[in-house]
Amino acid sequence: MTLETIVDELGLKCKCCWEKLKREVTGGYSGDLLSDVMGNSSSGDIWVTRQVHLNIVAVASLKDHAGIVIVQGAKPDKDTLEKAQKEGIPIMVSDLSEFEVVGKIYHLMHYAQ
Amino acid sequence: MTLREIKELLDAEIVVGEDKLDLEIKTAFGADLMSDVLAFARSGCLLITGLSNPQAVRTAYALDIAGIVVCRGKALTDKFIDIAKELGIPILWTQFIMFEACGRLYREGITGCIREVLVEDKQRAQ
Amino acid sequence: MKASRVASARSWLRTSNVPSDEYLEGIYYVQGRDFVDAGIVSSEIKKNLKEKGIPESIIRKVAVVTFEAEVNIISYAEQGTIQYYVEPGSITIEAKDIGIGIEDIELAQQEGYSTADDSIREMGFGAGMGLANIRKYSDEFEITSVPKEGTYLRSTIYVNGK
């Protein structure tokens, strides 16, 4: 499943790196503690979080995430978006809660095909 | 869903609150940031978190949250368990990551609870 | 408030001989950087109010306000106190601390603005929601601060809404 499908199905707003939305998503991770995400997420994951801090880009980049979904209507900092653009990490936003965004993505990944 | 069914669904252990397994759960909130829980979660919901420090239990107690699911098999300290017992907060412990736990619960019809808060805020503002 | 009544949160209510009328007000000492017990004051105040039969929805608001105030003191101050008193129709919470204070109070109240370091974030706090939460759950809210000296915060919650 591509990022683009997830963006379309959930009505996410993509804030940067639209050109990367064709990337394949191979798994999902959700969490707001950076050390946890750093330690436990995998390459190709779509990361669902409500952290907006600049450091999320570094984590996503190091772990080679497919993209980050910021939930609960939280707004990514300007620095965060600039860095994400530079590092090539798509950042998407949603007004839904972390639980619902994860639930919908999980559903798409497991049952939609 | 009852806490007992959730325990089965998440292949979880009940660490605290064996006597509360018949509790009915309708909504859930997934977060590691306790301030978000304090801002958005509703009483009666299930908290799904990777945080296993005493603050998580105290946050749940502050909001009358029905129970906590600690994900990723995160080690639980005696202090965490003692406080949960003292405050009467059921604790489920699962090896699943939060993504998997939330995904499974959502699939079973548990809903998020953020929107109701916004409704309540609007009502308050009127 | 007499200084002698300022005791550590841990010992304060373990002493079971506190006269019952004192459940209607209380003052707790909060030690800066003591994350292990973060939230204990909020839990204790909640327990006290429950015993008084105050409506649960009101208690939850008080619990959130005291929790966030407590975490703020632990995160940013050397030490502080949290005090609450129940009056006819309302509950007031006052938090005072000696600490770094707040440079820009308007900015500090914005959701998402935070000066927290990584140690605070890894505890599940420091996302810039604290003061916003307190204001959200308060019917009256006041905050003053002197940078490098400390912060005073007062929150009042009406029992029957505004």
Side-chain angles (χ1 to χ4, degrees):
Chain A
M1 167 158 309
T2 63
L3 271 180
E4 199 168 29
T5 311
I6 295 173
V7 166
D8 287 348
E9 291 290 329
L10 272 76
L12 304 177
K13 288 194 194 82
C14 183
K15 305 293 273 189
C16 68
C17 303
W18 294 266
E19 70 281 6
K20 305 253 176 170
L21 292 184
K22 299 282 180 209
R23 181 166 171 187
E24 196 69 16
V25 177
T26 51
Y29 202 83
S30 95
D32 311 315
L33 304 177
L34 301 192
S35 59
D36 159 40
V37 181
M38 192 72 110
N40 299 294
S41 62
S42 313
S43 167
D45 277 353
I46 184 166
W47 175 22
V48 182
T49 186
R50 65 78 65 212
Q51 288 280 20
V52 292
H53 194 261
L54 178 67
N55 292 346
I56 61 173
V57 180
V59 172
S61 178
L62 273 165
K63 300 295 291 195
D64 190 30
H65 290 159
I68 306 173
V69 184
I70 294 176
V71 296
Q72 226 163 258
K75 294 183 183 63
D77 300 340
K78 196 164 151 276
D79 303 353
T80 307
L81 288 178
E82 278 169 12
K83 190 165 179 203
Q85 184 69 47
K86 219 165 82 189
E87 301 271 338
I89 302 288
I91 291 191
M92 295 140 281
V93 297
S94 170
D95 285 337
L96 296 177
S97 71
E98 201 157 322
F99 179 79
E100 283 170 296
V101 169
V102 169
K104 285 173 195 283
I105 295 175
Y106 183 93
H107 182 77
L108 278 176
M109 285 176 150
H110 288 79
Y111 303 98
Q113 276 120 359
Chain B
M1 273 185 108
T2 63
L3 216 47
R4 188 185 312 279
E5 289 164 328
I6 291 171
K7 174 181 174 288
E8 296 302 316
L9 182 72
L10 302 182
D11 205 4
E13 280 175 34
I14 180 108
V15 181
V16 177
E18 195 88 47
D19 53 326
K20 291 189 175 164
L21 282 170
D22 293 321
L23 206 64
E24 190 70 25
I25 305 285
K26 292 194 175 69
T27 60
F29 194 85
D32 294 328
L33 298 181
M34 291 303 115
S35 288
D36 277 357
V37 181
L38 292 167
F40 298 115
R42 291 293 307 267
S43 62
C45 79
L46 184 70
L47 174 62
I48 302 149
T49 185
L51 205 64
S52 65
N53 61 20
Q55 290 92 304
V57 183
R58 296 198 183 280
T59 300
Y61 180 70
L63 285 172
D64 299 316
I65 280 171
I68 302 178
V69 176
V70 178
C71 303
R72 221 188 324 118
K74 208 154 172 218
L76 304 179
T77 61
D78 290 343
K79 177 145 189 158
F80 176 89
I81 294 168
D82 288 347
I83 293 173
K85 280 181 186 157
E86 179 197 331
L87 299 178
I89 308 285
I91 305 291
L92 289 176
W93 187 70
T94 177
Q95 296 293 335
F96 291 145
I97 57 172
M98 200 206 288
F99 190 87
E100 182 74 28
C102 291
R104 287 184 177 219
L105 288 166
Y106 184 84
R107 175 80 185 144
E108 293 298 317
I110 300 286
T111 56
C113 59
I114 179 174
R115 276 173 297 192
E116 290 172 55
V117 178
L118 299 174
V119 170
E120 187 185 63
D121 280 354
K122 270 185 204 143
Q123 283 167 348
R124 270 189 66 186
Q126 277 163 6
Chain C
M1 188 58 61
K2 275 179 271 173
S4 62
R5 285 195 49 204
V6 180
S8 89
R10 219 173 283 117
S11 65
W12 212 77
L13 269 154
R14 295 269 159 81
T15 46
S16 52
N17 57 357
V18 180
S20 63
D21 63 337
E22 295 205 2
Y23 287 102
L24 290 170
E25 58 175 75
I27 182 162
Y28 297 85
Y29 175 78
V30 181
Q31 178 66 46
R33 291 278 145 187
D34 179 16
F35 277 106
V36 180
D37 275 336
I40 193 170
V41 171
S42 166
S43 298
E44 293 296 340
I45 291 174
K46 178 162 184 168
K47 276 188 217 163
N48 296 351
L49 296 179
K50 268 189 166 177
E51 289 183 18
K52 276 292 158 191
I54 288 163
E56 283 191 359
S57 60
I58 302 300
I59 297 181
R60 276 200 290 278
K61 291 179 184 174
V62 174
V64 171
V65 168
T66 50
F67 202 128
E68 292 286 12
E70 191 180 348
V71 169
N72 279 348
I73 294 174
I74 292 167
S75 303
Y76 302 109
E78 290 158 33
Q79 53 184 307
T81 56
I82 292 179
Q83 190 174 349
Y84 77 94
Y85 34 95
V86 181
E87 291 166 307
S90 71
I91 300 172
T92 295
I93 297 122
E94 283 186 318
K96 303 172 195 172
D97 69 56
I98 302 164
I100 55 173
I102 301 168
E103 292 279 350
D104 186 335
I105 286 187
E106 286 302 313
L107 192 58
Q109 289 179 55
Q110 274 177 28
E111 276 190 21
Y113 178 81
S114 176
T115 57
D117 59 30
D118 286 345
S119 69
I120 299 171
R121 288 177 197 275
E122 292 302 322
M123 302 299 272
F125 291 93
M129 297 296 288
L131 287 179
N133 274 355
I134 294 176
R135 199 171 56 178
K136 175 177 162 183
Y137 283 97
S138 304
D139 292 312
E140 282 177 34
F141 174 68
E142 180 194 336
I143 181 165
T144 51
S145 182
V146 180
K148 298 191 183 69
E149 287 190 20
T151 301
Y152 168 84
L153 180 151
R154 190 172 58 83
S155 157
T156 299
I157 292 153
Y158 298 143
V159 174
N160 295 314
K162 268 185 193 180

